Amino acid sequence: MRAVLLDKFGPPEVMRIASTATPVPDDKEVLIKVAATSINRPDLVQRQGNYPSPPGESDILGLEVAGTIAALGCAVSNWQIGDRVMALVGGGGYAEYALARADHLLPIPQTMSFIEAACICESYLTAFHNIFRLGRLEDGQTVLLHGGGGGVCTAGIQLIKTLCPKCRIAVTTHPLKIDRVRKQGVDLAIDYTKTPDFSQEIREFTATQGVDLILDHVGGSYLQNNMNSLGYAGRLVIIGVTGGISGELNLACMMVKRQQIIGSVLRSRPAAEKAAIIADFRHRALPAFAERRIVPTIDRIFPFEAVVAAHHHMEEDNHFGKIVLAINHQICQETV
């Protein structure tokens, strides 16, 4: 099969498409003929040498795929060859074929294309798990999401507005993306270049009460402002550290306000935990995609051969929504 391989770590140009052995599924896995995958921020970090694959996972980049099942492990009984599926994978997505555990698959609704399905399993599962399962967001509460325009944030907005429509949503974003964020229906869009201390606007927005939940991918540099933005019994869920791995914290204030800080990474979770997240998502969220109440926000689709350009596009940070890599053009055209 053809796959994106790395001879060394570094800029996008270290990636090349070359032939490599097609993987063989074990008892509990399936082999997927990949139609499309998506570019995610962890792919860039792995390409730079700072995010190695978990033990036992493929070193090929790519954390989600959409396609059709090409082969089944001998213990797989609830899927069939030819089924249209999307999958969360620990690696291997940038290739013509990829392995996935059978319990890490989701069926692609008939109303959804392969291109759209390639957007689901990393960003939407990340948003769903951290907002609703770990963050315990309830309808009528107030939430702050950082990174307006990114895949996880756009997914989070859509999921909240669908599953908890009475919630109020605040988002921090770049000024070039602020109008599009507002069009998603958020209640407050904060230009972080003009308002680095976003906690001031959050306090005004919430009449000094603070928000119930924050989903943050920045980390250290946002820690104090995040805590200042949280209300009593508020939860801060940290899913990234693009702004550093450390920051000062007023423990006394945190204790008095009964606040919680939760760290979360999806990729390195045990397989059984991922399966439970996927099963919950299938039950609670997937029907909204099948009914087209949620449609993935796609920024741009790149052909497989343009993977270097796709990574440059994400690094420029001007995208809004998901960046898709079409691996097999023929399969991608066999859509809804």
Side-chain angles (χ1 to χ4, degrees):
M1 69 174 185
R2 294 192 307 157
V4 174
L5 304 181
L6 303 177
D7 293 322
K8 58 182 178 180
F9 298 122
E13 286 73 19
V14 300
M15 296 184 294
R16 62 184 178 88
I17 296 176
S19 294
T20 190
T22 302
V24 177
D26 69 16
D27 293 354
K28 297 181 180 180
E29 292 179 325
V30 304
L31 180 68
I32 299 172
K33 185 175 183 179
V34 180
T37 183
S38 285
I39 311 296
N40 292 288
R41 187 70 60 179
D43 302 344
L44 278 61
V45 182
Q46 181 176 341
R47 189 203 71 224
Q48 294 163 351
N50 299 316
Y51 193 34
S53 301
E57 299 289 358
S58 171
D59 290 331
I60 296 171
L61 303 179
L63 301 176
E64 59 188 334
V65 296
T68 56
I69 294 179
L72 301 170
C74 63
V76 178
S77 59
N78 54 336
W79 299 98
Q80 297 181 354
I81 291 176
D83 283 348
R84 301 169 77 245
V85 295
M86 46 189 165
L88 182 70
V89 295
Y94 290 18
E96 292 180 320
Y97 290 89
L99 294 178
R101 283 179 56 101
D103 55 1
H104 291 179
L105 303 180
L106 287 165
I108 299 177
Q110 290 301 312
T111 54
M112 182 184 289
S113 70
F114 286 112
I115 292 293
E116 291 170 338
C119 302
I120 304 300
C121 286
E122 177 65 18
S123 295
Y124 284 90
L125 281 173
T126 295
F128 173 79
H129 177 60
N130 291 292
I131 292 172
F132 297 101
R133 290 168 59 89
L134 292 183
R136 307 186 307 280
L137 185 69
E138 298 179 2
D139 212 2
Q141 293 187 330
T142 304
V143 59
L144 168 61
L145 307 176
H146 292 304
V152 173
C153 185
T154 56
I157 293 169
Q158 291 178 308
L159 288 168
I160 293 167
K161 292 185 70 65
T162 302
L163 302 180
C164 290
K166 295 180 182 178
C167 282
R168 301 175 71 210
I169 305 172
V171 173
T172 61
T173 188
H174 190 277
L176 295 177
K177 302 179 183 181
I178 201 162
D179 288 339
R180 295 190 67 181
V181 169
R182 286 173 175 155
K183 288 179 180 178
Q184 285 194 293
V186 304
D187 300 282
L188 174 67
I190 302 171
D191 177 353
Y192 62 72
T193 65
K194 291 183 179 179
T195 314
D197 183 1
F198 52 82
S199 64
Q200 297 178 11
E201 288 205 32
I202 292 298
R203 289 182 61 80
E204 293 177 8
F205 174 61
T206 62
T208 74
Q209 296 301 303
V211 299
D212 299 287
L213 175 66
I214 299 175
L215 183 63
D216 173 50
H217 69 282
V218 179
S221 62
Y222 271 20
L223 180 59
Q224 191 57 61
N225 287 335
N226 276 333
M227 300 305 289
N228 290 341
S229 300
L230 275 185
Y232 281 87
R235 289 85 63 199
L236 167 61
V237 182
I238 300 176
I239 61 172
V241 288
T242 60
I245 61 173
S246 62
E248 291 190 4
L249 179 64
N250 186 328
L251 293 175
C253 183
M254 175 184 172
M255 292 162 60
V256 169
K257 296 178 74 173
R258 306 186 308 279
Q259 296 167 333
Q260 298 179 40
I261 300 175
I262 305 167
S264 178
V265 176
L266 183 60
R267 187 182 192 186
S268 59
R269 287 182 177 275
E273 289 187 17
K274 293 180 185 178
I277 295 167
I278 291 165
D280 194 15
F281 180 88
R282 180 174 182 174
H283 172 68
R284 296 170 60 186
L286 192 59
F289 292 88
E291 297 163 6
R292 307 294 286 179
R293 289 184 287 128
I294 299 180
V295 178
T297 301
I298 298 174
D299 175 82
R300 189 168 169 185
I301 303 167
F302 287 84
F304 191 21
E305 295 73 18
V307 63
V308 171
H311 272 231
H312 276 298
H313 184 59
M314 174 163 276
E315 287 183 336
E316 291 165 0
D317 204 25
N318 293 323
H319 64 287
F320 194 94
K322 296 287 287 187
I323 300 171
V324 178
L325 194 65
I327 303 294
N328 189 310
H329 303 286
Q330 182 177 357
I331 299 179
C332 287
Q333 291 169 1
E334 298 171 4
T335 54
V336 185

